[in-house]
Amino acid sequence: SQYLYIAKTGKSAKNITWSMARKYNNAYKLGWVANIADQCFYQPNGARLIITGADDPQLVDTFHGGKNRAVFLDEAPFWQHIDIEQFCEEVITPTLADEKGVLRMMSRPGYRRAGFFWECAHGKHPEWNVRKWSWEDNPHVRDNVRAFLAARIAANPEIVATAAFRR
């Protein structure tokens, strides 16, 4: 089986997942073997996790014809070089058929209220399941984020009116 994790760039993919995957591999003795050159983790059962970025327009061509158990597209509304809808429909979805795989898009809100990710997140594509949560739903960060935001608001009460703050 093959699993893909694709972030906005190759560098961001590595920064987001590489150390976390190594941490869990060691903590839970998963037996994954890391291959830094290929940016893959090989699992004892023969499966592999490929960690890559969407900053290369040629990426689209590298995933045709594969078989994937799961594909994770991170920070999808911020991808600049790949048409997300076309990539999902024409490239990734066909690779999920043999393994009855799943495709997950995940992100914080984008800068614009437009695009395929925004449309999916707002029910414009009913074939996509939508699950939403915020930092308030995460007990591991909730208290720290509340304190951080309270300090920012105390320092500049007008910040709550900015688009960046509302996102």
Side-chain angles (χ1 to χ4, degrees):
S1 294
Q2 180 168 281
Y3 301 83
L4 300 177
Y5 171 85
I6 307 171
K8 179 181 174 184
T9 67
K11 187 171 183 167
S12 66
K14 187 175 180 182
N15 289 342
I16 292 167
T17 60
W18 200 255
S19 63
M20 184 176 18
R22 292 181 76 169
K23 174 184 167 183
Y24 288 117
N25 184 37
N26 293 334
Y28 297 105
K29 298 180 181 21
L30 300 174
W32 296 354
V33 176
N35 183 321
I36 294 172
D38 291 342
Q39 290 203 189
C40 292
F41 281 93
Y42 293 90
Q43 300 170 10
N45 66 359
R48 72 179 176 162
L49 167 63
I50 299 171
I51 299 169
T52 191
D55 48 345
D56 178 0
Q58 302 304 315
L59 175 76
V60 172
D61 295 330
T62 65
F63 294 117
H64 281 288
K67 294 181 183 182
N68 295 302
R69 173 80 47 94
V71 177
F72 305 93
L73 309 180
D74 200 359
E75 300 294 350
F78 301 97
W79 290 16
Q80 297 174 1
H81 303 289
I82 294 175
D83 179 307
I84 300 284
E85 184 172 13
Q86 181 182 15
F87 186 63
C88 290
E89 296 300 323
E90 296 178 17
V91 179
I92 295 301
T93 299
T95 72
L96 300 170
D98 288 349
E99 299 277 339
K100 296 182 182 176
V102 296
L103 171 58
R104 306 261 191 252
M105 284 194 294
M106 52 213 166
S107 183
R108 59 195 162 98
Y111 300 130
R112 298 177 302 120
R113 293 177 175 222
F116 186 63
F117 181 86
W118 187 89
E119 291 171 2
C120 290
H122 290 85
K124 308 288 185 200
H125 295 272
E127 68 275 17
W128 283 83
N129 250 332
V130 178
R131 293 178 179 83
K132 295 181 183 185
W133 61 90
S134 77
W135 58 267
E136 293 173 311
D137 300 313
N138 184 339
H140 302 288
V141 301
R142 182 175 34 229
D143 293 340
N144 290 343
V145 174
R146 268 195 196 122
F148 173 79
L149 292 176
R152 290 197 67 200
I153 293 168
N156 178 10
E158 295 174 13
I159 196 170
V160 298
T162 67
F165 187 85
R166 287 194 309 268
R167 276 194 300 276

